[in-house]
mmCIF file of all heavy atoms in Angstrom:
data_model
loop_
_atom_site.group_PDB
_atom_site.id
_atom_site.type_symbol
_atom_site.label_atom_id
_atom_site.label_comp_id
_atom_site.label_asym_id
_atom_site.label_seq_id
_atom_site.Cartn_x
_atom_site.Cartn_y
_atom_site.Cartn_z
ATOM 1 N N MET A 1 0.884 -1.153 0.035
ATOM 2 C CA MET A 1 -0.031 0.002 -0.007
ATOM 3 C C MET A 1 0.881 1.309 -0.050
ATOM 4 O O MET A 1 0.641 2.154 0.705
ATOM 5 C CB MET A 1 -0.846 0.058 1.303
ATOM 6 C CG MET A 1 -2.051 -0.818 1.114
ATOM 7 S SD MET A 1 -3.225 -0.626 2.515
ATOM 8 C CE MET A 1 -3.981 -2.227 2.408
ATOM 9 N N SER A 2 1.892 1.216 -0.729
ATOM 10 C CA SER A 2 2.698 2.420 -0.775
ATOM 11 C C SER A 2 2.131 3.375 -1.727
ATOM 12 O O SER A 2 1.474 3.066 -2.659
ATOM 13 C CB SER A 2 4.142 2.069 -1.153
ATOM 14 O OG SER A 2 4.132 1.617 -2.531
ATOM 15 N N ARG A 3 2.444 4.620 -1.525
ATOM 16 C CA ARG A 3 1.946 5.645 -2.420
ATOM 17 C C ARG A 3 3.110 6.299 -3.120
ATOM 18 O O ARG A 3 3.137 7.506 -3.383
ATOM 19 C CB ARG A 3 1.166 6.754 -1.617
ATOM 20 C CG ARG A 3 -0.212 6.250 -1.128
ATOM 21 C CD ARG A 3 -1.078 7.399 -0.847
ATOM 22 N NE ARG A 3 -2.484 7.091 -1.000
ATOM 23 C CZ ARG A 3 -3.389 8.061 -1.065
ATOM 24 N NH1 ARG A 3 -3.005 9.317 -1.075
ATOM 25 N NH2 ARG A 3 -4.655 7.707 -1.264
ATOM 26 N N GLU A 4 4.066 5.614 -3.454
ATOM 27 C CA GLU A 4 5.176 6.088 -4.144
ATOM 28 C C GLU A 4 4.742 6.458 -5.605
ATOM 29 O O GLU A 4 3.807 5.911 -6.115
ATOM 30 C CB GLU A 4 6.366 5.183 -4.237
ATOM 31 C CG GLU A 4 6.889 4.785 -2.821
ATOM 32 C CD GLU A 4 7.886 3.716 -2.875
ATOM 33 O OE1 GLU A 4 8.309 3.373 -4.003
ATOM 34 O OE2 GLU A 4 8.269 3.206 -1.824
ATOM 35 N N ASP A 5 5.477 7.442 -6.113
ATOM 36 C CA ASP A 5 5.190 7.758 -7.525
ATOM 37 C C ASP A 5 5.483 6.579 -8.382
ATOM 38 O O ASP A 5 6.463 5.836 -8.277
ATOM 39 C CB ASP A 5 6.134 8.917 -7.943
ATOM 40 C CG ASP A 5 5.766 10.196 -7.281
ATOM 41 O OD1 ASP A 5 4.659 10.283 -6.707
ATOM 42 O OD2 ASP A 5 6.536 11.187 -7.400
ATOM 43 N N PRO A 6 4.623 6.299 -9.316
ATOM 44 C CA PRO A 6 4.787 5.208 -10.243
ATOM 45 C C PRO A 6 5.976 5.502 -11.174
ATOM 46 O O PRO A 6 6.100 6.647 -11.573
ATOM 47 C CB PRO A 6 3.466 5.159 -11.035
ATOM 48 C CG PRO A 6 2.944 6.542 -10.973
ATOM 49 C CD PRO A 6 3.398 7.082 -9.677
ATOM 50 N N THR A 7 6.742 4.428 -11.404
ATOM 51 C CA THR A 7 7.882 4.623 -12.368
ATOM 52 C C THR A 7 7.416 4.178 -13.711
ATOM 53 O O THR A 7 7.032 3.053 -13.880
ATOM 54 C CB THR A 7 8.992 3.823 -11.875
ATOM 55 O OG1 THR A 7 9.450 4.228 -10.587
ATOM 56 C CG2 THR A 7 10.170 3.924 -12.878
ATOM 57 N N PRO A 8 7.417 5.020 -14.697
ATOM 58 C CA PRO A 8 7.008 4.703 -15.998
ATOM 59 C C PRO A 8 8.042 3.840 -16.738
ATOM 60 O O PRO A 8 9.189 3.728 -16.283
ATOM 61 C CB PRO A 8 6.852 6.056 -16.709
ATOM 62 C CG PRO A 8 7.871 6.949 -16.031
ATOM 63 C CD PRO A 8 7.916 6.464 -14.598
ATOM 64 N N ARG A 9 7.647 3.280 -17.761
ATOM 65 C CA ARG A 9 8.554 2.529 -18.614
ATOM 66 C C ARG A 9 8.800 3.328 -19.832
ATOM 67 O O ARG A 9 8.057 4.085 -20.303
ATOM 68 C CB ARG A 9 7.915 1.144 -18.980
ATOM 69 C CG ARG A 9 7.640 0.315 -17.841
ATOM 70 C CD ARG A 9 7.221 -1.112 -18.259
ATOM 71 N NE ARG A 9 8.361 -1.873 -18.480
ATOM 72 C CZ ARG A 9 9.079 -2.590 -17.559
ATOM 73 N NH1 ARG A 9 8.684 -2.505 -16.299
ATOM 74 N NH2 ARG A 9 10.075 -3.327 -17.795
ATOM 75 N N CYS A 10 10.032 3.211 -20.339
ATOM 76 C CA CYS A 10 10.423 3.906 -21.469
ATOM 77 C C CYS A 10 9.499 3.563 -22.684
ATOM 78 O O CYS A 10 9.410 2.352 -23.010
ATOM 79 C CB CYS A 10 11.828 3.629 -21.860
ATOM 80 S SG CYS A 10 12.427 4.401 -23.359
ATOM 81 N N PRO A 11 8.928 4.471 -23.334
ATOM 82 C CA PRO A 11 8.013 4.226 -24.479
ATOM 83 C C PRO A 11 8.808 3.788 -25.704
ATOM 84 O O PRO A 11 8.215 3.279 -26.631
ATOM 85 C CB PRO A 11 7.298 5.540 -24.735
ATOM 86 C CG PRO A 11 8.244 6.584 -24.238
ATOM 87 C CD PRO A 11 9.027 5.944 -23.050
ATOM 88 N N HIS A 12 10.051 3.939 -25.632
ATOM 89 C CA HIS A 12 10.978 3.628 -26.851
ATOM 90 C C HIS A 12 11.436 2.241 -26.776
ATOM 91 O O HIS A 12 11.402 1.436 -27.786
ATOM 92 C CB HIS A 12 12.042 4.627 -26.930
ATOM 93 C CG HIS A 12 11.648 6.014 -27.044
ATOM 94 N ND1 HIS A 12 10.928 6.546 -28.089
ATOM 95 C CD2 HIS A 12 11.706 7.101 -26.088
ATOM 96 C CE1 HIS A 12 10.688 7.853 -27.874
ATOM 97 N NE2 HIS A 12 11.093 8.163 -26.606
ATOM 98 N N CYS A 13 11.958 1.818 -25.620
ATOM 99 C CA CYS A 13 12.572 0.527 -25.505
ATOM 100 C C CYS A 13 11.966 -0.366 -24.415
ATOM 101 O O CYS A 13 12.340 -1.455 -24.181
ATOM 102 C CB CYS A 13 14.088 0.644 -25.339
ATOM 103 S SG CYS A 13 14.453 1.370 -23.723
ATOM 104 N N ASP A 14 10.932 0.177 -23.746
ATOM 105 C CA ASP A 14 10.202 -0.489 -22.751
ATOM 106 C C ASP A 14 11.053 -0.914 -21.507
ATOM 107 O O ASP A 14 10.843 -1.852 -20.816
ATOM 108 C CB ASP A 14 9.589 -1.803 -23.321
ATOM 109 C CG ASP A 14 8.425 -2.270 -22.450
ATOM 110 O OD1 ASP A 14 7.731 -1.476 -21.844
ATOM 111 O OD2 ASP A 14 8.314 -3.512 -22.282
ATOM 112 N N SER A 15 12.053 -0.080 -21.370
ATOM 113 C CA SER A 15 12.961 -0.350 -20.182
ATOM 114 C C SER A 15 12.420 0.353 -18.928
ATOM 115 O O SER A 15 11.884 1.468 -19.004
ATOM 116 C CB SER A 15 14.381 0.162 -20.514
ATOM 117 O OG SER A 15 15.152 0.135 -19.351
ATOM 118 N N GLY A 16 12.663 -0.269 -17.791
ATOM 119 C CA GLY A 16 12.219 0.321 -16.585
ATOM 120 C C GLY A 16 13.365 1.146 -15.913
ATOM 121 O O GLY A 16 13.182 1.614 -14.857
ATOM 122 N N ASP A 17 14.492 1.132 -16.621
ATOM 123 C CA ASP A 17 15.636 1.839 -16.023
ATOM 124 C C ASP A 17 15.628 3.302 -16.418
ATOM 125 O O ASP A 17 16.367 3.752 -17.270
ATOM 126 C CB ASP A 17 16.924 1.155 -16.511
ATOM 127 C CG ASP A 17 18.161 1.699 -15.810
ATOM 128 O OD1 ASP A 17 18.035 2.445 -14.846
ATOM 129 O OD2 ASP A 17 19.273 1.317 -16.224
ATOM 130 N N VAL A 18 14.710 4.029 -15.793
ATOM 131 C CA VAL A 18 14.524 5.420 -16.128
ATOM 132 C C VAL A 18 14.767 6.296 -14.826
ATOM 133 O O VAL A 18 14.511 5.811 -13.727
ATOM 134 C CB VAL A 18 13.153 5.605 -16.713
ATOM 135 C CG1 VAL A 18 12.979 4.868 -17.972
ATOM 136 C CG2 VAL A 18 12.090 5.225 -15.713
ATOM 137 N N THR A 19 15.066 7.514 -15.062
ATOM 138 C CA THR A 19 15.380 8.449 -14.012
ATOM 139 C C THR A 19 14.593 9.688 -14.226
ATOM 140 O O THR A 19 14.538 10.243 -15.365
ATOM 141 C CB THR A 19 16.824 8.799 -13.974
ATOM 142 O OG1 THR A 19 17.629 7.615 -13.825
ATOM 143 C CG2 THR A 19 17.170 9.725 -12.776
ATOM 144 N N ARG A 20 13.962 10.166 -13.227
ATOM 145 C CA ARG A 20 13.145 11.386 -13.424
ATOM 146 C C ARG A 20 14.100 12.573 -13.535
ATOM 147 O O ARG A 20 15.067 12.715 -12.824
ATOM 148 C CB ARG A 20 12.283 11.577 -12.184
ATOM 149 C CG ARG A 20 11.453 12.914 -12.302
ATOM 150 C CD ARG A 20 10.243 12.869 -11.456
ATOM 151 N NE ARG A 20 10.569 12.352 -10.128
ATOM 152 C CZ ARG A 20 9.594 11.901 -9.277
ATOM 153 N NH1 ARG A 20 8.354 11.809 -9.652
ATOM 154 N NH2 ARG A 20 9.940 11.492 -8.146
ATOM 155 N N VAL A 21 13.866 13.352 -14.507
ATOM 156 C CA VAL A 21 14.706 14.563 -14.752
ATOM 157 C C VAL A 21 14.203 15.766 -14.140
ATOM 158 O O VAL A 21 14.899 16.399 -13.297
ATOM 159 C CB VAL A 21 14.848 14.753 -16.289
ATOM 160 C CG1 VAL A 21 15.666 15.958 -16.586
ATOM 161 C CG2 VAL A 21 15.344 13.539 -16.972
ATOM 162 N N ALA A 22 12.978 16.040 -14.299
ATOM 163 C CA ALA A 22 12.405 17.308 -13.735
ATOM 164 C C ALA A 22 10.925 17.310 -13.881
ATOM 165 O O ALA A 22 10.314 16.635 -14.774
ATOM 166 C CB ALA A 22 13.001 18.504 -14.509
ATOM 167 N N TYR A 23 10.343 18.115 -13.014
ATOM 168 C CA TYR A 23 8.915 18.371 -13.181
ATOM 169 C C TYR A 23 8.741 19.617 -14.038
ATOM 170 O O TYR A 23 9.518 20.489 -14.060
ATOM 171 C CB TYR A 23 8.294 18.668 -11.753
ATOM 172 C CG TYR A 23 7.988 17.432 -10.929
ATOM 173 C CD1 TYR A 23 8.637 17.103 -9.835
ATOM 174 C CD2 TYR A 23 6.905 16.623 -11.368
ATOM 175 C CE1 TYR A 23 8.382 16.003 -9.117
ATOM 176 C CE2 TYR A 23 6.600 15.501 -10.630
ATOM 177 C CZ TYR A 23 7.308 15.240 -9.555
ATOM 178 O OH TYR A 23 6.985 14.079 -8.811
ATOM 179 N N PHE A 24 7.623 19.573 -14.675
ATOM 180 C CA PHE A 24 7.212 20.785 -15.491
ATOM 181 C C PHE A 24 6.537 21.701 -14.483
ATOM 182 O O PHE A 24 5.696 21.374 -13.761
ATOM 183 C CB PHE A 24 6.297 20.351 -16.602
ATOM 184 C CG PHE A 24 7.040 19.842 -17.810
ATOM 185 C CD1 PHE A 24 7.886 18.816 -17.740
ATOM 186 C CD2 PHE A 24 6.865 20.505 -19.055
ATOM 187 C CE1 PHE A 24 8.542 18.346 -18.869
ATOM 188 C CE2 PHE A 24 7.540 20.060 -20.186
ATOM 189 C CZ PHE A 24 8.361 18.958 -20.064
ATOM 190 N N GLY A 25 6.895 23.003 -14.690
ATOM 191 C CA GLY A 25 6.355 24.018 -13.785
ATOM 192 C C GLY A 25 4.891 24.204 -13.986
ATOM 193 O O GLY A 25 4.120 24.498 -13.057
ATOM 194 N N THR A 26 4.421 24.085 -15.220
ATOM 195 C CA THR A 26 3.065 24.509 -15.563
ATOM 196 C C THR A 26 2.091 23.409 -15.143
ATOM 197 O O THR A 26 0.980 23.675 -14.845
ATOM 198 C CB THR A 26 2.902 24.851 -17.042
ATOM 199 O OG1 THR A 26 3.411 23.772 -17.795
ATOM 200 C CG2 THR A 26 3.652 26.106 -17.354
ATOM 201 N N SER A 27 2.575 22.199 -15.195
ATOM 202 C CA SER A 27 1.669 21.096 -14.869
ATOM 203 C C SER A 27 2.363 20.077 -13.975
ATOM 204 O O SER A 27 3.313 19.429 -14.346
ATOM 205 C CB SER A 27 1.247 20.411 -16.134
ATOM 206 O OG SER A 27 0.449 19.262 -15.801
ATOM 207 N N ALA A 28 1.907 20.039 -12.716
ATOM 208 C CA ALA A 28 2.537 19.150 -11.785
ATOM 209 C C ALA A 28 2.310 17.696 -12.111
ATOM 210 O O ALA A 28 2.990 16.838 -11.544
ATOM 211 C CB ALA A 28 2.099 19.463 -10.403
ATOM 212 N N ALA A 29 1.435 17.473 -12.991
ATOM 213 C CA ALA A 29 1.035 16.068 -13.263
ATOM 214 C C ALA A 29 1.968 15.516 -14.365
ATOM 215 O O ALA A 29 1.974 14.361 -14.718
ATOM 216 C CB ALA A 29 -0.338 15.981 -13.734
ATOM 217 N N GLN A 30 2.834 16.420 -14.954
ATOM 218 C CA GLN A 30 3.700 15.898 -15.958
ATOM 219 C C GLN A 30 5.175 15.944 -15.471
ATOM 220 O O GLN A 30 5.592 16.919 -14.827
ATOM 221 C CB GLN A 30 3.610 16.861 -17.134
ATOM 222 C CG GLN A 30 4.372 16.376 -18.383
ATOM 223 C CD GLN A 30 4.148 17.301 -19.542
ATOM 224 O OE1 GLN A 30 3.811 18.463 -19.413
ATOM 225 N NE2 GLN A 30 4.398 16.875 -20.722
ATOM 226 N N SER A 31 5.861 14.879 -15.736
ATOM 227 C CA SER A 31 7.234 14.832 -15.383
ATOM 228 C C SER A 31 8.064 14.371 -16.550
ATOM 229 O O SER A 31 7.563 13.734 -17.471
ATOM 230 C CB SER A 31 7.478 13.878 -14.198
ATOM 231 O OG SER A 31 6.896 12.655 -14.437
ATOM 232 N N GLN A 32 9.301 14.684 -16.467
ATOM 233 C CA GLN A 32 10.208 14.251 -17.600
ATOM 234 C C GLN A 32 11.191 13.242 -17.111
ATOM 235 O O GLN A 32 11.691 13.312 -15.981
ATOM 236 C CB GLN A 32 10.945 15.512 -18.043
ATOM 237 C CG GLN A 32 11.616 15.319 -19.426
ATOM 238 C CD GLN A 32 12.120 16.661 -19.957
ATOM 239 O OE1 GLN A 32 12.613 17.529 -19.215
ATOM 240 N NE2 GLN A 32 11.997 16.860 -21.258
ATOM 241 N N TRP A 33 11.423 12.217 -17.900
ATOM 242 C CA TRP A 33 12.191 11.124 -17.510
ATOM 243 C C TRP A 33 13.245 10.861 -18.555
ATOM 244 O O TRP A 33 13.045 11.132 -19.755
ATOM 245 C CB TRP A 33 11.311 9.807 -17.343
ATOM 246 C CG TRP A 33 10.382 9.935 -16.269
ATOM 247 C CD1 TRP A 33 9.165 10.689 -16.229
ATOM 248 C CD2 TRP A 33 10.411 9.292 -14.953
ATOM 249 N NE1 TRP A 33 8.549 10.534 -15.048
ATOM 250 C CE2 TRP A 33 9.285 9.678 -14.225
ATOM 251 C CE3 TRP A 33 11.347 8.415 -14.379
ATOM 252 C CZ2 TRP A 33 9.008 9.269 -12.977
ATOM 253 C CZ3 TRP A 33 11.077 7.922 -13.105
ATOM 254 C CH2 TRP A 33 9.915 8.406 -12.452
ATOM 255 N N HIS A 34 14.336 10.309 -18.041
ATOM 256 C CA HIS A 34 15.467 9.953 -18.961
ATOM 257 C C HIS A 34 15.668 8.405 -18.928
ATOM 258 O O HIS A 34 15.787 7.965 -17.814
ATOM 259 C CB HIS A 34 16.706 10.691 -18.562
ATOM 260 C CG HIS A 34 17.908 10.267 -19.395
ATOM 261 N ND1 HIS A 34 18.836 9.403 -18.883
ATOM 262 C CD2 HIS A 34 18.371 10.720 -20.587
ATOM 263 C CE1 HIS A 34 19.754 9.176 -19.765
ATOM 264 N NE2 HIS A 34 19.566 10.013 -20.799
ATOM 265 N N CYS A 35 15.735 7.857 -20.055
ATOM 266 C CA CYS A 35 15.973 6.427 -20.122
ATOM 267 C C CYS A 35 17.538 6.146 -20.190
ATOM 268 O O CYS A 35 18.179 6.665 -21.081
ATOM 269 C CB CYS A 35 15.232 5.803 -21.304
ATOM 270 S SG CYS A 35 15.591 4.079 -21.576
ATOM 271 N N ALA A 36 17.997 5.340 -19.268
ATOM 272 C CA ALA A 36 19.378 5.059 -19.170
ATOM 273 C C ALA A 36 19.727 4.040 -20.294
ATOM 274 O O ALA A 36 20.906 3.802 -20.590
ATOM 275 C CB ALA A 36 19.804 4.522 -17.826
ATOM 276 N N ARG A 37 18.778 3.364 -20.829
ATOM 277 C CA ARG A 37 19.109 2.308 -21.739
ATOM 278 C C ARG A 37 19.244 2.810 -23.205
ATOM 279 O O ARG A 37 20.269 2.525 -23.806
ATOM 280 C CB ARG A 37 17.865 1.308 -21.739
ATOM 281 C CG ARG A 37 18.242 0.047 -22.496
ATOM 282 C CD ARG A 37 17.016 -0.879 -22.391
ATOM 283 N NE ARG A 37 17.347 -2.227 -22.885
ATOM 284 C CZ ARG A 37 16.418 -3.132 -23.011
ATOM 285 N NH1 ARG A 37 15.156 -2.864 -22.643
ATOM 286 N NH2 ARG A 37 16.740 -4.376 -23.407
ATOM 287 N N CYS A 38 18.253 3.593 -23.647
ATOM 288 C CA CYS A 38 18.358 4.126 -25.043
ATOM 289 C C CYS A 38 18.608 5.644 -24.989
ATOM 290 O O CYS A 38 18.731 6.259 -26.036
ATOM 291 C CB CYS A 38 17.068 3.836 -25.814
ATOM 292 S SG CYS A 38 15.573 4.709 -25.148
ATOM 293 N N ARG A 39 18.828 6.154 -23.788
ATOM 294 C CA ARG A 39 19.232 7.527 -23.635
ATOM 295 C C ARG A 39 18.166 8.521 -24.257
ATOM 296 O O ARG A 39 18.557 9.538 -24.899
ATOM 297 C CB ARG A 39 20.585 7.789 -24.156
ATOM 298 C CG ARG A 39 21.578 6.859 -23.568
ATOM 299 C CD ARG A 39 22.956 7.103 -24.135
ATOM 300 N NE ARG A 39 23.935 7.361 -23.085
ATOM 301 C CZ ARG A 39 25.179 7.758 -23.298
ATOM 302 N NH1 ARG A 39 25.602 8.025 -24.508
ATOM 303 N NH2 ARG A 39 25.945 7.926 -22.332
ATOM 304 N N SER A 40 16.934 8.166 -24.155
ATOM 305 C CA SER A 40 15.873 9.041 -24.633
ATOM 306 C C SER A 40 15.245 9.748 -23.470
ATOM 307 O O SER A 40 15.229 9.248 -22.351
ATOM 308 C CB SER A 40 14.818 8.196 -25.435
ATOM 309 O OG SER A 40 15.414 7.669 -26.557
ATOM 310 N N VAL A 41 14.779 10.881 -23.710
ATOM 311 C CA VAL A 41 14.061 11.667 -22.698
ATOM 312 C C VAL A 41 12.533 11.636 -23.208
ATOM 313 O O VAL A 41 12.270 11.894 -24.377
ATOM 314 C CB VAL A 41 14.536 13.139 -22.649
ATOM 315 C CG1 VAL A 41 13.641 13.939 -21.660
ATOM 316 C CG2 VAL A 41 15.956 13.137 -22.143
ATOM 317 N N PHE A 42 11.703 11.331 -22.261
ATOM 318 C CA PHE A 42 10.312 11.290 -22.550
ATOM 319 C C PHE A 42 9.568 11.926 -21.412
ATOM 320 O O PHE A 42 10.046 12.055 -20.305
ATOM 321 C CB PHE A 42 9.844 9.859 -22.874
ATOM 322 C CG PHE A 42 9.978 8.888 -21.706
ATOM 323 C CD1 PHE A 42 8.943 8.711 -20.805
ATOM 324 C CD2 PHE A 42 11.242 8.314 -21.439
ATOM 325 C CE1 PHE A 42 9.066 7.798 -19.706
ATOM 326 C CE2 PHE A 42 11.415 7.431 -20.343
ATOM 327 C CZ PHE A 42 10.266 7.199 -19.499
ATOM 328 N N GLU A 43 8.291 12.223 -21.679
ATOM 329 C CA GLU A 43 7.399 12.889 -20.749
ATOM 330 C C GLU A 43 6.408 11.884 -20.263
ATOM 331 O O GLU A 43 5.895 11.032 -21.085
ATOM 332 C CB GLU A 43 6.764 14.084 -21.310
ATOM 333 C CG GLU A 43 7.675 15.220 -21.559
ATOM 334 C CD GLU A 43 7.179 16.202 -22.650
ATOM 335 O OE1 GLU A 43 6.034 16.070 -22.977
ATOM 336 O OE2 GLU A 43 8.016 16.971 -23.117
ATOM 337 N N PHE A 44 6.055 11.947 -19.005
ATOM 338 C CA PHE A 44 5.193 10.955 -18.451
ATOM 339 C C PHE A 44 4.092 11.792 -17.692
ATOM 340 O O PHE A 44 4.366 12.671 -16.861
ATOM 341 C CB PHE A 44 5.902 10.076 -17.512
ATOM 342 C CG PHE A 44 5.008 9.058 -16.779
ATOM 343 C CD1 PHE A 44 4.415 8.012 -17.489
ATOM 344 C CD2 PHE A 44 4.764 9.205 -15.368
ATOM 345 C CE1 PHE A 44 3.573 7.133 -16.786
ATOM 346 C CE2 PHE A 44 3.960 8.354 -14.755
ATOM 347 C CZ PHE A 44 3.346 7.311 -15.476
ATOM 348 N N TRP A 45 2.876 11.444 -17.964
ATOM 349 C CA TRP A 45 1.749 12.015 -17.281
ATOM 350 C C TRP A 45 1.252 11.184 -16.178
ATOM 351 O O TRP A 45 0.948 9.961 -16.367
ATOM 352 C CB TRP A 45 0.678 12.299 -18.269
ATOM 353 C CG TRP A 45 0.911 13.396 -19.225
ATOM 354 C CD1 TRP A 45 1.687 13.302 -20.383
ATOM 355 C CD2 TRP A 45 0.628 14.808 -19.106
ATOM 356 N NE1 TRP A 45 1.751 14.580 -20.990
ATOM 357 C CE2 TRP A 45 1.123 15.510 -20.215
ATOM 358 C CE3 TRP A 45 -0.121 15.465 -18.114
ATOM 359 C CZ2 TRP A 45 0.956 16.819 -20.384
ATOM 360 C CZ3 TRP A 45 -0.283 16.879 -18.273
ATOM 361 C CH2 TRP A 45 0.245 17.558 -19.412
ATOM 362 N N ARG A 46 1.111 11.767 -15.023
ATOM 363 C CA ARG A 46 0.467 11.073 -13.973
ATOM 364 C C ARG A 46 -0.990 11.394 -13.903
ATOM 365 O O ARG A 46 -1.350 12.557 -13.980
ATOM 366 C CB ARG A 46 1.097 11.539 -12.601
ATOM 367 C CG ARG A 46 2.437 11.095 -12.368
ATOM 368 C CD ARG A 46 3.106 11.775 -11.218
ATOM 369 N NE ARG A 46 2.217 11.699 -10.046
ATOM 370 C CZ ARG A 46 2.579 12.257 -8.877
ATOM 371 N NH1 ARG A 46 3.676 12.863 -8.731
ATOM 372 N NH2 ARG A 46 1.800 12.168 -7.833
ATOM 373 N N TYR A 47 -1.805 10.395 -13.852
ATOM 374 C CA TYR A 47 -3.204 10.661 -13.667
ATOM 375 C C TYR A 47 -3.654 9.898 -12.501
ATOM 376 O O TYR A 47 -3.026 9.059 -11.905
ATOM 377 C CB TYR A 47 -3.966 10.240 -14.968
ATOM 378 C CG TYR A 47 -3.363 9.258 -15.827
ATOM 379 C CD1 TYR A 47 -3.422 7.889 -15.499
ATOM 380 C CD2 TYR A 47 -2.624 9.590 -16.995
ATOM 381 C CE1 TYR A 47 -2.826 6.955 -16.233
ATOM 382 C CE2 TYR A 47 -2.006 8.575 -17.739
ATOM 383 C CZ TYR A 47 -2.166 7.261 -17.424
ATOM 384 O OH TYR A 47 -1.552 6.307 -18.155
ATOM 385 N N GLY A 48 -4.935 10.204 -12.173
ATOM 386 C CA GLY A 48 -5.508 9.546 -11.071
ATOM 387 C C GLY A 48 -6.130 10.535 -10.114
ATOM 388 O O GLY A 48 -6.298 10.317 -8.961
ATOM 389 N N GLY A 49 -6.394 11.763 -10.619
ATOM 390 C CA GLY A 49 -6.980 12.730 -9.840
ATOM 391 C C GLY A 49 -6.010 13.754 -9.269
ATOM 392 O O GLY A 49 -4.894 13.816 -9.738
ATOM 393 N N PRO A 50 -6.411 14.439 -8.275
ATOM 394 C CA PRO A 50 -5.627 15.543 -7.689
ATOM 395 C C PRO A 50 -4.362 14.994 -7.064
ATOM 396 O O PRO A 50 -4.326 13.813 -6.516
ATOM 397 C CB PRO A 50 -6.540 16.219 -6.650
ATOM 398 C CG PRO A 50 -7.531 15.176 -6.370
ATOM 399 C CD PRO A 50 -7.730 14.369 -7.583
ATOM 400 N N LEU A 51 -3.310 15.716 -7.134
ATOM 401 C CA LEU A 51 -2.037 15.318 -6.480
ATOM 402 C C LEU A 51 -2.180 15.376 -4.984
ATOM 403 O O LEU A 51 -2.899 16.128 -4.399
ATOM 404 C CB LEU A 51 -0.984 16.280 -6.920
ATOM 405 C CG LEU A 51 -0.664 16.242 -8.398
ATOM 406 C CD1 LEU A 51 0.326 17.338 -8.737
ATOM 407 C CD2 LEU A 51 -0.163 14.856 -8.876
ATOM 408 N N SER A 52 -1.435 14.578 -4.338
ATOM 409 C CA SER A 52 -1.443 14.581 -2.889
ATOM 410 C C SER A 52 -0.830 15.930 -2.389
ATOM 411 O O SER A 52 0.089 16.395 -2.979
ATOM 412 C CB SER A 52 -0.600 13.425 -2.347
ATOM 413 O OG SER A 52 0.725 13.460 -2.888
ATOM 414 N N PRO A 53 -1.501 16.490 -1.470
ATOM 415 C CA PRO A 53 -1.165 17.846 -0.961
ATOM 416 C C PRO A 53 0.280 17.907 -0.476
ATOM 417 O O PRO A 53 1.035 18.833 -0.683
ATOM 418 C CB PRO A 53 -2.212 18.202 0.042
ATOM 419 C CG PRO A 53 -2.724 16.916 0.451
ATOM 420 C CD PRO A 53 -2.648 16.005 -0.719
ATOM 421 N N ARG A 54 0.694 16.876 0.279
ATOM 422 C CA ARG A 54 2.027 16.918 0.836
ATOM 423 C C ARG A 54 2.682 15.553 0.621
ATOM 424 O O ARG A 54 2.252 14.595 1.185
ATOM 425 C CB ARG A 54 1.954 17.211 2.354
ATOM 426 C CG ARG A 54 1.535 18.586 2.635
ATOM 427 C CD ARG A 54 2.623 19.663 2.357
ATOM 428 N NE ARG A 54 2.276 21.048 2.748
ATOM 429 C CZ ARG A 54 1.598 21.848 2.000
ATOM 430 N NH1 ARG A 54 1.290 21.445 0.723
ATOM 431 N NH2 ARG A 54 1.265 23.033 2.384
ATOM 432 N N GLY A 55 3.742 15.625 -0.189
ATOM 433 C CA GLY A 55 4.393 14.385 -0.441
ATOM 434 C C GLY A 55 5.322 13.939 0.709
ATOM 435 O O GLY A 55 5.596 12.766 0.898
ATOM 436 N N GLY A 56 5.765 14.843 1.421
ATOM 437 C CA GLY A 56 6.605 14.543 2.585
ATOM 438 C C GLY A 56 8.097 14.615 2.314
ATOM 439 O O GLY A 56 8.903 14.561 3.168
ATOM 440 N N GLU A 57 8.463 14.800 1.006
ATOM 441 C CA GLU A 57 9.878 14.806 0.672
ATOM 442 C C GLU A 57 10.561 15.992 1.425
ATOM 443 O O GLU A 57 11.679 15.890 1.737
ATOM 444 C CB GLU A 57 9.969 15.045 -0.880
ATOM 445 C CG GLU A 57 11.408 15.047 -1.237
ATOM 446 C CD GLU A 57 11.515 15.326 -2.730
ATOM 447 O OE1 GLU A 57 10.500 15.571 -3.398
ATOM 448 O OE2 GLU A 57 12.656 15.470 -3.249
HETATM 449 ZN ZN1 ZN B 1 14.547 3.597 -23.572
#
């Protein structure tokens, strides 16, 4: 029952070895990820309703 952020898979090579690069300022639901395998950068959208008010980080 953890509420950690889901880690997306690379849409290019389907690798799970990805690292979050940055959040977009305009939309907190969108984050940018870098794939260590094919070295592609892709954007990932989190959906599922409103973001948690306090992540605790
Ligand atoms: Zn990849």
Side-chain angles (χ1 to χ4, degrees):
M1 281 187 204
S2 66
R3 286 201 153 196
E4 298 175 7
D5 289 347
T7 301
R9 299 190 84 84
C10 176
H12 303 291
C13 67
D14 199 38
S15 170
D17 189 8
V18 295
T19 305
R20 179 159 44 200
V21 179
Y23 278 110
F24 277 57
T26 52
S27 175
Q30 186 179 22
S31 55
Q32 195 171 36
W33 294 74
H34 174 263
C35 175
R37 190 179 191 188
C38 68
R39 305 180 126 189
S40 295
V41 174
F42 62 95
E43 290 156 14
F44 176 72
W45 287 84
R46 287 168 53 178
Y47 24 79
L51 299 173
S52 54
R54 290 286 184 272
E57 182 186 357

